[in-house]
Amino acid sequence: MAHIGVFYCEGFNSGAYSVALYHAQLAAARGGHGLSLYTFAEGSLAATAARAPEVDGLLTFGPEGVDLDFLRGHERPSVVCEHVVSGCANIAPDNHDIGRTAARHLLDLGHERLAVVLPGDPAKTVTYHGSRFAGFRDAAAAAGHALAEVDIYSGPQVETTGQTAAEAMLARGDLPDAVYVQNMPMALAALRTLTEAGVAVPDDVSFLGTTFTQLTEPNATNHTTPPMTAVTFEKEEMGRQGVAYLAAAAEGRTSERLKVRLPGVLVSGASTARAAVAVAG
């Protein structure tokens, strides 16, 4: 049986990590494998791994820079979770598909004018959120409802970006049919700003956010008013598939480098509804 080490970089998204870790523990227990937890500061993964010689495979969260260089050259098998990394086995969301899933939901409801709020630069479509934006944009364009530049809002990955975007929509006095906000704190701020201004969600605007909890547990989106419809990916698969791969690699049952892309999943809520025109038709 293999011994799996879970290595968490301080400051990495703790919500995604906790979901994956829970399912990694279940997978290890069911397979009879050992599992240990380690925390490392940025740049210290090599030293931390050296202090764990009993570990046969490394399931990692948040490595960057020299830590990734270490994994690329390390003899023990490893997996990087949540991010696509060249030269490393990895399990990551299919961000383009997540964006596409968001757009398809709104388009299927009959909405035509879509708006999006994202962290970062929408022109950088190879980034985590940029790829998600590209999927949303491409799906809208393919349906004949290309995004207008005025309906694309972006800024730092902080709560106030969502508030600022919502305030800009309100100031224009010309709301889109539906809004997709890619980051949870930004989505909460945008939804609050719209509803406090008297916008009825989803009657006036359908609102779609994102969630970072597993699908079988209560979501933060359940506690918004109205409960928020959201898109996500199955983060539990990072733990399940990561442990299965590392155990197989450590036991010599596979020599291939793992590459998994987790598709978008819609979490139903009450903040999206069929467009008035679609209902009338």
Side-chain angles (χ1 to χ4, degrees), residues 95 118-120 124 127-134 157 182-183 212:
N95 280 306
L118 72 148
K124 297 180 179 179
T127 63
Y128 192 94
H129 287 285
S131 178
R132 198 169 292 188
F133 164 73
Q157 190 170 325
Q182 294 186 195
N183 169 266
F212 286 100

Side-chain angles (χ1 to χ4, degrees), residues 16-37:
Y17 165 71
S18 62
V19 172
L21 173 60
Y22 173 73
H23 289 278
Q25 291 172 317
L26 288 179
R30 289 167 179 164
H33 307 296
L35 189 143
S36 301
L37 309 181

Side-chain angles (χ1 to χ4, degrees), residues 80-96:
V80 177
C81 290
E82 198 162 352
H83 291 284
V84 176
V85 178
S86 63
C88 292
N90 56 83
I91 305 174
D94 184 338
N95 280 306
H96 194 274

Side-chain angles (χ1 to χ4, degrees), residues 1-15:
M1 297 299 176
H3 191 102
I4 308 301
V6 179
F7 291 79
Y8 171 78
C9 184
E10 297 169 355
F12 181 74
N13 183 299
S14 57

